[in-house]
Amino acid sequence: MYKVRNFSSASEFLDTNGDYIYANPMEHVLLINVIEGVRHNMLRVFQAFNIESEIDGTLVMVFVVDGNCLIYSRQYDEAYLDILASELPFDKLKDLVFAGDKKTIENLLLFKSLHFELEKHLVIYRCEKLNPKFRVSEGRMRLADQNEAQALIKLSLDFTEQYEGIRESPFEMKAAVEKEIREKILFVWEADGICGLAVEMNRQSFDYPEIGKLYTVPEKTGQGFASSLLYKLTEKILSEHPFCMLYTKGNNLASNRACIKAGYMPIADYARFVIKGDA
């Protein structure tokens, strides 16, 4: 039913899978960075293969390098788990991070009866058309103003602490926020003061806009301000681009609800796992 296609180099792997990988760089950003590391002789490739079907083509891409076993799936099927399990030398992979498609990796590790820990889970969203039934909360979206930079720096620090679990340097955040204000990409939701913020990102490595740093002031949560800001900022972006993307933490129910409510569709679940104990 399925066959394994092995590759002898990163270039050969990329020649076969490159179009698919770069079609969604947000999902494959780690894989892209790892391939770049190999190209610059910073990482070594230990194994690279696809699991393919005559009908559906490539279903799974596997790329194993120093420190990482990357597994990405176009279409999940438990029938290929035994192939993955037999192709990967798990006795040599216990110290590696497994990253990529959450469902495939999680079920593979369960299939192998391994103890593991989920270190990161991101849901990747795409929006081409907003929800026509969405009701915008009171208030309005506007560009951030340099005069309120101090308040926005604090909110940005609060966001990174909540999202990443670390408190960033106030000095570095000050520079970042002031740059966002100058470049007119930092937006706030105003309703009796600043209720939330978001940034319109245009990374050079991506050819589409992305929304980041979506955050609601803690005392203003539950009033629909974040989803309203997301809706209006996406509306602005879609007037200029065919689609917009973003990602949220998988366990942040409020953020995921806000995305779906506005009209975003989940397109991928990225996760990172570490094996606990002996493999």
Side-chain angles (χ1 to χ4, degrees):
M1 184 177 180
Y2 298 128
K3 65 177 182 179
V4 175
R5 181 176 181 179
N6 288 292
F7 302 102
S8 59
S9 67
S11 296
E12 188 180 349
F13 177 84
L14 194 58
D15 286 343
T16 299
N17 299 313
D19 287 347
Y20 177 68
I21 292 170
Y22 286 99
N24 186 2
M26 186 177 289
E27 178 184 359
H28 302 124
V29 63
L30 177 59
L31 177 58
I32 292 169
N33 290 339
V34 164
I35 290 172
E36 285 300 308
V38 172
R39 281 177 165 175
H40 291 89
N41 297 316
M42 297 168 61
L43 296 169
R44 296 171 297 166
V45 180
F46 293 104
Q47 195 173 13
F49 64 90
N50 286 352
I51 295 178
E52 301 176 351
S53 160
E54 290 184 5
I55 298 174
D56 299 312
T58 300
L59 297 179
V60 185
M61 301 178 297
V62 180
F63 200 69
V64 184
V65 298
D66 299 282
N68 290 282
C69 177
L70 307 182
I71 304 175
Y72 293 86
S73 174
R74 293 188 184 187
Q75 177 183 322
Y76 177 75
D77 185 348
E78 65 178 16
Y80 59 56
L81 292 181
D82 60 338
I83 300 175
L84 275 173
S86 61
E87 288 292 321
L88 289 168
F90 275 86
D91 58 321
K92 299 177 181 178
L93 301 179
K94 62 182 179 179
D95 295 323
L96 300 190
V97 170
F98 284 74
D101 179 67
K102 180 178 184 294
K103 188 172 184 179
T104 298
I105 298 173
E106 192 167 41
N107 281 288
L108 173 64
L109 299 180
L110 289 171
F111 181 82
K112 289 289 294 182
S113 300
L114 296 172
H115 298 289
F116 57 88
E117 179 179 315
L118 175 63
E119 281 197 337
K120 177 178 282 191
H121 174 207
L122 302 175
V123 183
I124 300 168
Y125 287 92
R126 175 182 173 119
C127 183
E128 298 178 12
K129 182 180 179 181
L130 287 163
N131 176 10
K133 297 181 180 180
F134 183 87
R135 296 183 63 180
V136 176
S137 299
E138 65 168 310
R140 68 185 180 105
M141 180 183 80
R142 64 169 173 81
L143 279 166
D145 187 276
Q146 193 68 50
N147 293 327
E148 55 201 10
Q150 288 303 314
L152 296 174
I153 291 167
K154 180 185 182 304
L155 290 179
S156 296
L157 288 168
D158 291 345
F159 166 78
T160 55
E161 185 170 28
Q162 180 190 85
Y163 194 84
E164 299 290 348
I166 57 172
R167 190 77 175 177
E168 290 195 6
S169 160
F171 179 79
E172 293 179 0
M173 184 60 75
K174 179 178 184 292
V177 168
E178 290 178 347
K179 182 173 184 289
E180 291 166 353
I181 295 173
R182 285 196 308 272
E183 294 181 355
K184 300 185 185 303
I185 60 173
L186 182 59
F187 294 81
V188 302
W189 189 262
E190 185 178 55
D192 189 24
I194 296 175
C195 302
L197 71 164
V199 63
E200 178 183 354
M201 301 167 62
N202 290 280
R203 298 195 226 183
Q204 292 182 350
S205 57
F206 295 177
D207 60 355
Y208 51 80
E210 172 192 351
I211 293 176
K213 199 160 68 176
L214 183 64
Y215 182 70
T216 304
V217 177
E219 59 269 25
K220 302 283 189 178
T221 57
Q223 300 180 57
F225 295 137
S227 57
S228 293
L229 176 54
L230 174 61
Y231 183 92
K232 297 303 289 187
L233 183 51
T234 304
E235 183 178 57
K236 170 191 172 298
I237 291 171
L238 293 183
S239 70
E240 304 164 348
H241 302 273
F243 66 93
C244 178
M245 297 188 70
L246 58 81
Y247 62 83
T248 69
K249 293 184 73 172
N251 63 356
N252 191 323
L253 300 181
S255 292
N256 285 281
R257 280 198 300 266
C259 294
I260 294 170
K261 184 178 177 183
Y264 280 79
M265 300 294 292
I267 63 167
D269 270 299
Y270 169 85
R272 186 171 67 206
F273 298 88
V274 293
I275 296 176
K276 311 299 289 184
D278 293 332

